[in-house]
Amino acid sequence: MNPWVAIGALALVGIAIPLSMMAISSLLRPSVPEQGKSATYESGEVPTGTTRIRFNIQYYMVALLFVVFDIETVLIFPWTVIYRNAIESGVDLATILVPMLVFIGVLAVGLAWAWRNGAVRWVRSPRGTQRSAEQ
């Protein structure tokens, strides 16, 4: 049996179950339209002010760095698992290490660039600066 058939069947079941659950629930649930259901609220409170709040760009930079290094972990883990098997099967050490060292080097250069541009440096709050100046 082709392994892709099992993967395709799993994908089909993974899509069919949620779609069928949504279809059945839309048919069985009662529909009571009410104006209050479509109103915007925040934890049961009436919202005040605008919804447009400016966030510091540093939050996004830290999130992007987290994603990059999370992907690094996801790519390095399988490499470490097959490393010993590759050595035992007679593959040259340089053939195994050079691609991973290049990958880690590119990530190190990216981290150095982000560090140099201040992406990983936290901005101090005005209250925290005042407290340290008073002490």
Side-chain angles (χ1 to χ4, degrees), residues 40-125:
T40 306
Y41 68 96
E42 178 68 30
S43 301
E45 298 291 325
V46 177
T48 58
T50 179
T51 58
R52 300 284 179 172
I53 299 172
R54 288 189 142 182
F55 286 102
N56 189 348
I57 189 70
Q58 209 153 15
Y59 292 117
Y60 300 111
M61 294 301 291
V62 169
L64 285 174
L65 285 173
F66 174 78
V67 168
V68 166
F69 288 104
D70 192 41
I71 291 171
E72 171 196 16
T73 304
V74 168
L75 292 177
I76 287 178
F77 182 73
W79 176 81
T80 59
V81 170
I82 65 168
Y83 174 76
R84 183 176 298 182
N85 293 337
I87 292 293
E88 290 172 355
S89 67
V91 179
D92 186 27
L93 185 64
T95 305
I96 298 170
L97 285 178
V98 169
M100 189 51 62
L101 290 176
V102 168
F103 176 69
I104 292 172
V106 168
L107 288 172
V109 167
L111 178 62
W113 177 84
W115 200 312
R116 184 172 176 237
N117 288 327
V120 294
R121 185 179 14 193
W122 287 105
V123 178
R124 293 190 179 266
S125 69

Side-chain angles (χ1 to χ4, degrees), residues 9-37:
L10 182 64
L12 186 65
V13 168
I15 292 171
I17 288 176
L19 289 178
S20 63
M21 292 173 110
M22 288 189 298
I24 291 170
S25 70
S26 69
L27 293 174
L28 295 179
R29 71 174 176 242
S31 177
V32 183
E34 188 178 311
Q35 186 180 5
K37 288 183 177 180

